[in-house]
Amino acid sequence: MILGMTTSTFTLVHVLISLVGIGSGFVVVYGLLTGKPLDGWTATFLSTTILTSITGFLFPVAHILPSHIIGLISLLVLAVALLARYGRHMQRSWRSTYVVCAIVALYLNVFVAVVQSFLKIPPVHALAPTQKEPPFLFTQLAVMAIFVIIGILAVKQFRIAPIAVTPA
């Protein structure tokens, strides 16, 4: 039992949160590429991506796994994204910092989704059972290349005015 749920139910909840994070992340990326902040989508993306990382730590394991390291990196990147967006209101270089962190956080979620696909989906697993075969490596390199290109374009395109700060 994890948080009062069976492991399979908790896994389903974790996967659903992850999928919402990835889906809303792509909407946020669209906003970055079109210069629109999409505040509601951004809040959904950041919160579900944080929840994805946190819930990933709750699975019972005997030792630290690569997924835990990715989860820690994601949480650090998300902390900087939150600071840049809400703490520094994306002023000056914080705008680019936010964009890069948002793209990296989404990339990490997609990276894990690809890994899980190769582990859990039988036809995909058959292509790379040890995740050292060319189909797995090619897929991960292609995903990384796409995110690098998207990141570069997003930094160039996301030129909105800084978020107005109202005095307290």
Side-chain angles (χ1 to χ4, degrees):
M1 298 284 288
I2 305 168
L3 298 179
M5 295 177 255
T6 64
T7 301
S8 61
T9 300
F10 182 78
T11 300
L12 177 63
V13 169
H14 172 76
V15 169
L16 291 174
I17 292 168
S18 299
L19 292 174
V20 171
I22 290 170
S24 60
F26 280 116
V27 174
V28 169
V29 166
Y30 170 78
L32 296 175
L33 292 172
T34 58
K36 298 173 183 155
L38 302 177
D39 296 332
W41 285 103
T42 298
T44 299
F45 164 63
L46 294 173
S47 61
T48 54
T49 304
I50 290 167
L51 276 173
T52 295
S53 293
I54 291 170
T55 58
F57 289 109
L58 300 178
F59 288 97
V61 294
H63 52 72
I64 294 176
L65 300 171
S67 58
H68 294 118
I69 295 167
I70 290 173
L72 281 173
I73 293 168
S74 182
L75 287 171
L76 291 171
V77 167
L78 287 160
V80 175
L82 289 169
L83 173 65
R85 176 136 178 119
Y86 301 111
R88 300 293 184 212
H89 308 286
M90 296 189 294
Q91 294 178 356
R92 295 180 298 281
S93 64
W94 287 102
R95 182 175 303 139
S96 295
T97 300
Y98 164 70
V99 172
V100 169
C101 288
I103 298 290
V104 169
L106 179 58
Y107 165 73
L108 292 172
N109 256 359
V110 172
F111 175 88
V112 172
V114 170
V115 170
Q116 290 299 318
S117 296
F118 274 91
L119 285 173
K120 309 284 185 189
I121 301 172
V124 180
H125 179 75
L127 295 172
T130 67
Q131 295 187 350
K132 293 181 176 152
E133 294 80 7
F136 177 78
L137 299 173
F138 174 77
T139 302
Q140 289 294 24
L141 284 173
V143 168
M144 182 185 294
I146 290 166
F147 272 90
V148 167
I149 291 166
I150 289 170
I152 291 167
L153 292 173
V155 166
K156 290 180 179 181
Q157 294 296 326
F158 194 61
R159 303 276 185 220
I160 63 162
I163 297 171
V165 182
T166 55

